[in-house]
Amino acid sequence: MIKNVSIAVLVIAAGAAIWWFFDAKSSEKSASPPLTGWMQNFTPTDGAPPTPPLAVRAESGRSVPLTEFSGKVTLVNFWATWCGPCIREMPSLLRLQKARGGSDFTVIALSQDLRGWPMVKPFLKKHGLAGLPIYVDEKAAVSRVMRIKGLPTSILLDRNGNELGRLAGHAEWDSAEALALIDHYVQLGEQR
């Protein structure tokens, strides 16, 4: 009888330990962003310093501080008209903006073309990218401060302008996994 009770206690204890282990693992997964498919190379940033005050140039010529986008999760995409992977990526950024852009999220496509708007305007028209928020990074000032090493590179900022993570290289930003990543950070920001 004592032997049966001991076995029962061991089985219950083992079951509880297994349940705790898988419950803890599922909690960890819900707290971390989904990093599959096109987003497998997204690198979350832990404890990044606040983004310094930076400004970009709008088509109107107006200098737009990045703080103007505070309150939204913002995907800043560094690209150029001469960059083949950037050209492939741009339509997916437009579709992402159409799908998720609004009061909680926006895309900023930040051109690194040194000739600025005279180079960018014809490119946008040729590729039918109306509706994608485009800005120019004059003299690559923003890309230097944000340590961009190659194009395309996308940096996701939280509602306060702090870096959440980055992805170097081409991605399909309207894929299911990219939408899940964006939704994760938008919802995370709502909970804070």
Side-chain angles (χ1 to χ4, degrees), residues 79-82 111 113-124:
W79 68 282
T81 59
W82 47 263
S111 170
D113 288 280
L114 296 178
R115 290 184 40 215
W117 281 106
M119 192 74 171
V120 172
K121 282 182 194 180
F123 174 88
L124 299 176

Side-chain angles (χ1 to χ4, degrees), residues 14-170:
I18 291 170
W19 174 83
W20 177 83
F21 174 80
F22 284 108
D23 185 56
K25 286 293 180 191
S26 90
S27 295
E28 285 174 21
K29 286 182 182 175
S30 65
S32 60
L35 301 176
T36 61
W38 284 102
M39 297 297 106
Q40 68 186 349
N41 293 326
F42 181 85
T43 306
T45 307
D46 258 344
T51 303
L54 299 168
V56 296
R57 183 78 53 201
E59 185 176 358
S60 66
R62 181 172 77 93
S63 179
V64 179
L66 287 181
T67 55
E68 191 167 295
F69 304 98
S70 293
K72 296 182 182 190
V73 174
T74 304
L75 182 69
V76 182
N77 176 265
F78 293 83
W79 68 282
T81 59
W82 47 263
C83 166
C86 301
I87 295 167
R88 284 196 309 274
E89 183 177 60
M90 296 297 281
S92 73
L93 289 165
L94 175 59
R95 291 188 298 268
L96 171 63
Q97 178 65 17
K98 287 181 177 179
R100 294 295 191 270
S103 61
D104 290 327
F105 174 76
T106 194
V107 172
I108 297 174
L110 191 51
S111 170
Q112 302 300 295
D113 288 280
L114 296 178
R115 290 184 40 215
W117 281 106
M119 192 74 171
V120 172
K121 282 182 194 180
F123 174 88
L124 299 176
K125 185 174 182 178
K126 176 183 176 183
H127 292 281
L129 294 169
L132 182 60
I134 304 282
Y135 297 89
V136 171
D137 181 11
E138 292 185 328
K139 300 177 185 170
V142 176
S143 66
R144 274 195 307 278
V145 170
M146 302 206 60
R147 302 170 325 279
I148 302 303
K149 294 182 174 127
L151 299 177
T153 295
S154 298
I155 297 179
L156 194 61
L157 303 176
D158 70 11
R159 295 172 193 270
N160 298 316
N162 300 315
E163 185 174 326
L164 292 166
R166 61 177 59 204
L167 190 150
H170 166 251

